[in-house]
Amino acid sequence: MANIVIVGTQWGDEGKGKVVDLLAEFADLVVRFQGGNNAGHTMVVEGKQFISHLIPSGILQNKICLLGNGMVVDPAVLIEEIDYLKSNGIEVGPDNLKISERAHIIMPYHKEIDHARERLKGDKKIGTTGRGIGPSYEDKATRRGIRFVELLDPEVFREKLNSILEEKNFYLEEYLSSNPLDLEDIINQYNEYAKRLSPHVTNISVVINNAIKSGRQVLFEGAQGTHLDIDHGTYPYVTSSNTIAGNACGGAGIGPKEITGVIGIVKAYTTRVGEGPFPAELSDKTGNTIQKKGAEFGATTGRKRRCGWLDTVILRNAVRLNGLTGIAITKLDVLGGLESLKICTGYEYKGKILQDFPAGLNILSKCKPIYETVPGWSENISDIRAIEDLPQNARNYLNRIEELIETPIHLISLGPARDETIMVTNPFE
Ligand code: IMP
């Protein structure tokens, strides 16, 4: 029996969606444990592309999908996703989509505040996705949040919202120069959401633990990436939740001993959306080539992703923080055609070599990457299905990554399609 956590090792957008989709075949339950609709991955429904922000792609394989208590959920977006899937013939009901009664709700003022704050910050902005994620987690921490369990009780919901909205409207109007929101409008709208979603709301900790007890396998799907983690990332240029594997326990309501493996998704190069330091960033022609060839645009906001060489300082950080038992390399095909590739193996700061990722942004933004150069390959590798058939230089690149981060490769993705994959070892077997 295996219960596997999948996390991003970089700054998100590593291609977790495809790996989750592939490995979901071997799981009975797929659980999201943090974040909200700031995440996005592309699913193919009836030959049409659909970007899902909340529902794990396991829904397409008729797996039980669960939204954990560690998430912040925008009910309107969730209903839209359910309706889209249903209108495309995918069965979505209370049996295969379950929402934690303890998950927090994203409210209209969270989105307003997110946007208005970014506007006010000007060039000091975080570059958030504008989905209200930070303000919602902020309310959770200060105990002013509204959870599904409160949303489902109209009286409790009205009472809570009434007291919260007074303060939010004051803040919106007086400090952020935004428009106030109307209590009755929100109540009417959210009561409708509650009616739609109530059959899905349950104690997911009980559901998951019972499933594990009866020998079923669970896949825990992280969103964003290790370096966007609120504690361990490039603070304050981070998201507002713990994205690392340990939070699969807190965000789903299971104990750590249930987890049998942690797979880190590693894009074959590095990307980042939004602001914040990025030592191995390429601001030249090669960066542009990778951006174009890799179609590096954010799935949620459509923003161009910043691109750079593979950085093993951040990968070693991810190995330690998540306790990675293996990695999956994605988008290796994108690097084809480059004469040589660079791998960042350390940072130089004031004449000293740093092996570990620094906490201070002042230090990080002055770190110069130390590179090792390896030869590239020109062959198209997308049709290759066995590691032995890869060009020698591609194999050398992979071997060097394994060596530098002391973690084995489970899987290599060579294109967006399911079959464009080399499964070296299946973590569920
Ligand atoms: P927030 O999560 O919307 O508050 O955004 C905070 C930071 O995390 C910004 O730099 C976003 O671009 C980044 N971010 C949030 N979600 C994702 C994601 O799924 N992929 C990549 N970056 C993300």
Side-chain angles (χ1 to χ4, degrees):
M1 194 204 73
N3 299 310
I4 304 291
V5 183
I6 290 188
V7 288
T9 56
Q10 295 152 319
W11 277 286
D13 308 313
E14 295 91 353
K16 291 179 289 293
K18 169 175 164 176
V19 181
V20 169
D21 179 44
L22 270 173
L23 294 181
E25 188 186 333
F26 307 96
D28 302 291
L29 279 70
V30 184
V31 186
R32 273 255 338 245
F33 55 88
Q34 46 76 224
N37 59 317
N38 46 352
H41 59 247
T42 307
M43 317 204 275
V44 179
V45 183
E46 306 274 290
K48 272 187 277 174
Q49 275 205 346
F50 164 59
I51 295 176
S52 128
H53 300 284
L54 291 166
I55 303 179
S57 57
I59 202 84
L60 301 186
Q61 301 182 41
N62 209 15
K63 305 293 174 176
I64 300 173
C65 291
L66 301 102
L67 306 187
N69 56 277
M71 291 186 71
V72 287
V73 179
D74 186 329
V77 174
L78 183 56
I79 290 169
E80 209 178 291
E81 289 190 0
I82 295 172
D83 288 346
Y84 179 88
L85 290 168
K86 280 184 165 173
S87 69
N88 280 280
I90 313 293
E91 245 179 72
V92 187
D95 290 339
N96 66 346
L97 179 67
K98 297 179 190 293
I99 309 162
S100 167
E101 55 199 356
R102 291 177 168 83
H104 279 249
I105 314 269
I106 295 187
M107 302 296 296
Y109 44 80
H110 293 137
K111 290 180 267 191
E112 281 292 325
I113 291 171
D114 198 357
H115 281 293
R117 275 191 190 148
E118 287 280 277
R119 238 184 359 252
L120 278 185
K121 278 191 187 139
D123 60 5
K124 294 222 165 30
K125 68 178 194 289
I126 305 283
T128 72
T129 58
R131 304 297 193 260
I133 307 295
S136 175
Y137 276 115
E138 185 179 316
D139 278 355
K140 173 178 176 174
T142 50
R143 294 154 294 188
R144 279 176 305 187
I146 299 179
R147 304 172 302 168
F148 272 93
V149 67
E150 282 99 31
L151 174 71
L152 297 196
D153 184 328
E155 269 177 41
V156 175
F157 180 63
R158 172 178 284 276
E159 197 188 307
K160 272 208 118 176
L161 185 62
N162 192 25
S163 70
I164 295 166
L165 197 61
E166 199 182 320
E167 186 189 327
K168 296 293 177 193
N169 275 342
F170 180 78
Y171 181 59
L172 278 169
E173 277 190 286
E174 301 300 322
Y175 187 73
L176 297 173
S177 310
S178 282
N179 294 325
L181 299 163
D182 182 71
L183 176 73
E184 295 305 324
D185 282 353
I186 302 179
I187 288 179
N188 289 338
Q189 195 179 32
Y190 276 66
N191 279 345
E192 287 306 308
Y193 298 154
K195 274 188 216 142
R196 269 297 301 275
L197 295 174
S198 70
H200 299 268
V201 177
T202 186
N203 184 335
I204 68 138
S205 167
V206 170
V207 175
I208 301 168
N209 281 278
N210 284 346
I212 293 174
K213 264 193 211 148
S214 63
R216 297 170 106 194
Q217 310 206 101
V218 187
L219 182 61
F220 295 91
E221 173 188 346
Q224 291 83 47
T226 299
H227 295 85
L228 288 172
D229 182 279
I230 182 95
D231 283 284
H232 300 284
T234 43
Y235 190 89
Y237 298 99
V238 292
T239 192
S240 297
S241 61
N242 282 114
T243 59
I244 56 170
N247 194 29
C249 297
I254 56 148
K257 70 179 183 359
E258 310 298 355
I259 306 226
T260 57
V262 183
I263 309 300
I265 312 300
V266 176
K267 195 175 330 196
Y269 46 94
T270 314
T271 61
R272 168 160 211 175
V273 259
E275 311 303 315
F278 176 0
E281 183 166 13
L282 283 165
S283 316
D284 61 359
K285 218 175 108 203
T286 311
N288 278 339
T289 308
I290 295 175
Q291 194 273 327
K292 283 208 186 84
K293 196 163 171 208
E296 293 295 350
F297 292 96
T300 300
T301 56
R303 290 178 288 181
K304 250 189 195 179
R305 296 178 185 143
R306 300 151 66 192
C307 296
W309 294 119
L310 189 77
D311 181 342
T312 58
V313 180
I314 69 167
L315 295 186
R316 283 195 299 270
N317 203 35
V319 169
R320 176 172 35 76
L321 291 169
N322 295 293
L324 297 185
T325 51
I327 58 167
I329 302 268
T330 60
K331 294 190 128 174
L332 187 65
D333 54 304
V334 173
L335 294 181
L338 296 172
E339 208 169 295
S340 60
L341 308 172
K342 288 186 180 171
I343 303 176
C344 171
T345 56
Y347 297 154
E348 191 202 307
Y349 175 70
K350 291 192 172 170
K352 285 198 188 126
I353 294 176
L354 302 185
Q355 287 297 342
D356 296 317
F357 196 69
L361 290 201
N362 264 346
I363 300 179
L364 188 61
S365 55
K366 292 189 191 101
C367 280
K368 292 203 181 70
I370 300 167
Y371 287 121
E372 195 174 289
T373 305
V374 295
W377 60 90
S378 53
E379 298 89 332
N380 177 357
I381 57 172
S382 292
D383 296 333
I384 294 176
R385 297 292 170 264
I387 198 160
E388 307 74 53
D389 297 334
L390 284 171
Q392 190 56 47
N393 286 346
R395 290 179 66 184
N396 292 345
Y397 185 63
L398 298 175
N399 289 340
R400 190 64 186 131
I401 298 169
E402 280 187 318
E403 231 168 64
L404 284 165
I405 68 169
E406 299 177 33
T407 309
I409 295 174
H410 275 298
L411 187 152
I412 304 156
S413 168
L414 306 165
R418 252 194 206 172
D419 66 333
E420 289 173 319
T421 308
I422 300 173
M423 183 82 89
V424 184
T425 44
N426 184 339
F428 275 106
E429 280 167 1

